[in-house]
Amino acid sequence: MMSRKYDDLVPSPDPVSHRVRLISANWKMNLNHLEAIALVQKLYHLLRPEDFRYAEISIHPPFTSLRSLQLSFEADRMPFTLGAQNAADEPSGAFTGEVSAPMLAKLGVGYVIVGHSERRRLFGETSEEVARKAIAVQAMGMRPIICIGETSEQRRTDQTVQVLTEQLDPVLSTYPVKALEGIVIAYEPIWAIGSGESASPELVEEVGGSLRQLLTERVGSATAAQIRLQYGGSVHPGNAHEFMSLEAIDGLLVGGASLDADTFALLVKSC
Ligand code: PGA
C-alpha cells in the first residue's frame, strides 16, 4: 500500500491544454551511482508536494545508476519517474555495449530520450534509427522523448521547420498510430544546448506552433492535442518559467541545470 502522501503527488493536467507537464533531467554522462542517489535524495527533500502536482518530473541518469535510483525511489517513495537517455532498437542479441528497451522496462523506466542531438552528431544516429528506437521503447510500454533541433546555420538559412519536419517524419510515418498520443517531442535547438544561450520564448512559441500545426496535419487534431512538446537548451531557474508559460510548450528537457539539486529544485519551483 502506498502512503497517502505519495498517492496525492500526482501531477494535474494543465487546465488549458489538458496535457500533463513534464520536466526532465538529462544528466548525460555525469554522476556515478552514489552521487546519483545523493542528488535525488537532496532534490526530494527540497521539493514541496505542490511541485510534484504541477508537473511530472523524470530523472534520466546514465545506465549505471538506473537500478540504484529505481530502488531509492521505491524505498523512499519519491514520486520521480525514472528515465533513460537512450535505448537500442533491437530487443536482444550480439550488439556489444548496447542496452535494450526490454531491459529498461524491467527497471521501471517510464521515459526514454531518443535522438538527442549529441547522439545524432557524435554517434551518427539517423532519423530512421531514432524512429526505430522510439518504436522499441513504445513496444515495451514506455514513452519516448524524441529530440529534434536545428543547427545555427540551418536557422540562419531559414531551414528550421524543414529540418524539424525531416527529423520527425520517420517517426510520424512508422510509429503505431494508436500510440502516437503518448510520444513527447523535445525541441532543442542545437546552438542552444549547453551554450548558455537559450532560444528566445518568442522563437520557441513560433517553432512550437509550427510543430503543432505539422502534427495536426499529419496525425489529426485529436491525437496532436495529446502530444507533449518540451523545450530544451540552456534552461535555468531564471528562464524556465517563461518557457513553461508558452502555450505550445508542456515541459522542459534540462541538462546542465539538472546536475545540482539546489539549482534543479529552484528551477522546478520557479515554474
Ligand atoms: P542544457 O542541455 O540544458 O545543458 O543546454 C539540454 C539537453 O541537451 O538536453
Side-chain angles (χ1 to χ4, degrees):
M1 261 292 274
M2 286 182 181
S3 70
R4 276 308 300 162
K5 184 171 175 244
Y6 190 78
D7 281 352
D8 284 350
L9 301 184
V10 172
S12 324
D14 177 278
V16 178
S17 72
H18 305 296
R19 295 183 287 267
V20 174
R21 303 173 190 94
L22 175 65
I23 300 178
S24 304
N26 175 14
W27 289 357
K28 309 192 180 184
M29 196 174 72
N30 293 292
L31 307 179
N32 64 40
H33 74 288
L34 298 175
E35 293 164 333
I37 294 167
L39 196 157
V40 295
Q41 282 174 342
K42 184 169 179 193
L43 182 63
Y44 181 51
H45 172 75
L46 290 169
L47 292 174
R48 304 157 300 187
E50 359 8 324
D51 299 321
F52 289 102
R53 289 191 203 104
Y54 172 76
E56 185 175 1
I57 301 171
S58 64
I59 310 280
H60 301 248
F63 290 135
T64 49
S65 296
L66 285 172
R67 177 67 174 155
S68 306
L69 291 199
Q70 179 198 25
L71 295 176
S72 292
F73 294 173
E74 278 175 14
D76 293 336
R77 305 222 173 277
M78 298 184 206
F80 298 114
T81 303
L82 193 58
Q85 301 175 16
N86 185 26
D89 57 355
E90 293 285 344
S92 62
F95 303 99
T96 302
E98 291 292 279
V99 172
S100 73
M103 295 169 184
L104 298 175
K106 201 76 181 162
L107 286 165
V109 165
Y111 293 95
V112 183
I113 298 170
V114 295
H116 189 281
S117 67
E118 285 149 18
R119 298 222 49 95
R120 292 177 190 259
R121 187 166 47 88
L122 303 170
F123 302 96
E125 284 186 13
T126 63
S127 296
E128 287 69 27
E129 194 178 349
V130 171
R132 288 198 301 275
K133 289 181 173 207
I135 293 168
V137 165
Q138 184 275 331
M140 293 311 301
M142 302 177 290
R143 291 166 187 251
I145 297 178
I146 302 156
C147 300
I148 56 173
E150 82 286 4
T151 63
S152 52
E153 176 64 11
Q154 289 161 339
R155 159 141 300 279
R156 202 179 54 73
T157 52
D158 232 358
Q159 296 177 69
T160 302
V161 174
Q162 185 199 328
V163 167
L164 301 182
T165 305
E166 283 166 10
Q167 288 174 344
L168 270 184
D169 200 54
V171 175
L172 299 180
S173 51
T174 58
Y175 203 84
V177 177
K178 275 205 230 119
L180 268 170
E181 59 184 34
I183 66 171
V184 179
I185 297 172
Y187 169 54
E188 297 204 303
I190 295 171
W191 45 272
I193 295 176
S195 66
E197 184 202 344
S198 61
S200 68
E202 294 73 26
L203 171 68
V204 175
E205 185 72 333
E206 184 192 318
V207 174
S210 304
L211 287 172
R212 290 236 168 261
Q213 195 183 332
L214 168 76
L215 291 172
T216 303
E217 284 162 17
R218 293 292 303 273
V219 304
S221 54
T223 303
Q226 306 282 320
I227 296 177
R228 288 174 291 174
L229 275 187
Q230 290 181 318
Y231 166 73
S234 297
V235 177
H236 56 72
N239 62 14
H241 175 72
E242 249 184 318
F243 292 119
M244 286 304 284
S245 315
L246 299 174
E247 202 183 310
I249 294 300
D250 310 298
L252 303 168
L253 184 53
V254 185
S258 70
L259 291 172
D260 174 76
D262 289 295
T263 309
F264 192 59
L266 204 60
L267 186 154
V268 171
K269 286 168 194 279
S270 77
C271 292

